Amino acid sequence: NAGVTQTPKFQVLKTGQSMTLQCAQDMNHEYMSWYRQDPGMGLRLIHYSVGAGITDQGEVPNGYNVSRSTTEDFPLRLLSAAPSQTSVYFCASSYSGQGYNEQFFGPGTRLTVL
Amino acid sequence: GQQVMQIPQYQHVQEGEDFTTYCNSSTTLSNIQWYKQRPGGHPVFLIQLVKSGEVKKQKRLTFQFGEAKKNSSLHITATQTTDVGTYFCAGLYSGGGADGLTFGKGTHLIIQP
């Protein structure tokens, strides 16, 4: 099992550009989520999904879109990148229900917006 | 929204000394999880505590969940250089809710050989 994979590992964008961060898991987990990690801020939930076709907002959803067309994939789209979105982004999955089971995190994408 | 306060933010210890990090919530938690993140790495699950007053051990690590289910601690005995990293607690509030887990801001453990 590859677990949770994320691409790309590093990305530099200019303000206003859009891009998609990819996340995939091969553990047949129903629950997937996206976090951003900023110095001194811990992990903050952006969006989550409880299954294919179902998504919802977390604590900091503004400027991001998600979709979940398959169980395996949960891409995160930045619509118009801003310097405030410079961060490390982690995708995570769990068997079911966030908080009820172990969260498996991907290796992260380090994004810089100039 | 709900907050989980974690202290200290940084902890410097000499190798071989003990280390403790604490998490506190103003409201009751359903459960609490602990994660470790090595420098440059991603969070890795350590343990989950569910019951009031629960104590669990993993080798040199001892995890506790308070009687009121509002606080938790992680204690490492005789730290080693492999313990370096950031330790996060993550609490789930009763009733779950859309936000699910709420992470503390983490404690950075720095070990001086």
Side-chain angles (χ1 to χ4, degrees):
Chain A
N1 283 355
V4 180
T5 58
Q6 290 183 240
T7 56
K9 289 188 177 181
F10 301 93
Q11 183 70 51
V12 178
L13 292 177
K14 294 181 179 178
T15 297
Q17 288 184 317
S18 63
M19 80 159 294
T20 299
L21 308 185
Q22 301 292 344
C23 174
Q25 53 91 10
D26 62 359
M27 296 174 282
N28 201 31
H29 285 168
E30 289 296 324
Y31 188 93
M32 296 185 74
S33 53
W34 276 101
Y35 292 88
R36 61 177 289 172
Q37 184 174 37
D38 303 293
M41 297 297 293
L43 290 153
R44 293 184 291 170
L45 182 65
I46 305 171
H47 285 285
Y48 67 96
S49 169
V50 299
I54 306 169
T55 64
D56 209 340
Q57 297 179 352
E59 178 186 358
V60 288
N62 292 341
Y64 308 95
N65 268 358
V66 292
S67 60
R68 183 100 179 267
S69 56
T70 66
T71 299
E72 294 78 20
D73 300 300
F74 191 43
L76 177 72
R77 281 183 290 277
L78 279 69
L79 308 174
S80 177
S84 61
Q85 293 179 303
T86 293
S87 188
V88 181
Y89 292 85
F90 290 102
C91 179
S93 73
S94 66
Y95 177 66
S96 68
Q98 185 194 23
Y100 296 102
N101 301 100
E102 171 184 355
Q103 300 282 307
F104 292 84
F105 284 83
T109 295
R110 283 149 180 82
L111 175 68
T112 301
V113 182
L114 302 176
Chain B
Q2 309 284 16
Q3 280 191 322
V4 174
M5 304 302 294
Q6 188 171 358
I7 58 169
Q9 186 176 2
Y10 293 92
Q11 184 74 59
H12 292 77
V13 301
Q14 296 282 338
E15 187 176 8
E17 292 182 338
D18 293 356
F19 160 77
T20 305
T21 174
Y22 302 90
C23 284
N24 289 286
S25 170
S26 58
T27 55
T28 302
L29 297 167
S30 178
N31 66 36
I32 194 159
Q33 298 179 354
W34 285 91
Y35 292 80
K36 176 183 179 181
Q37 184 177 23
R38 294 182 185 274
H42 59 278
V44 175
F45 177 84
L46 293 175
I47 210 159
Q48 176 170 278
L49 305 172
V50 179
K51 299 177 182 177
S52 169
E54 190 169 14
V55 178
K56 288 189 176 181
K57 294 189 177 183
Q58 291 178 350
K59 297 183 181 178
R60 295 179 293 104
L61 278 63
T62 301
F63 304 85
Q64 294 188 321
F65 201 9
E67 293 290 341
K69 299 183 72 174
K70 291 183 178 181
N71 57 76
S72 181
S73 65
L74 158 59
H75 179 82
I76 302 178
T77 303
T79 55
Q80 300 174 358
T81 54
T82 54
D83 296 325
V84 164
T86 303
Y87 293 84
F88 292 96
C89 62
L92 179 67
Y93 286 90
S94 298
D99 288 332
L101 283 174
T102 299
F103 279 82
K105 294 184 178 181
T107 295
H108 301 265
L109 174 59
I110 299 132
I111 298 177
Q112 295 152 340

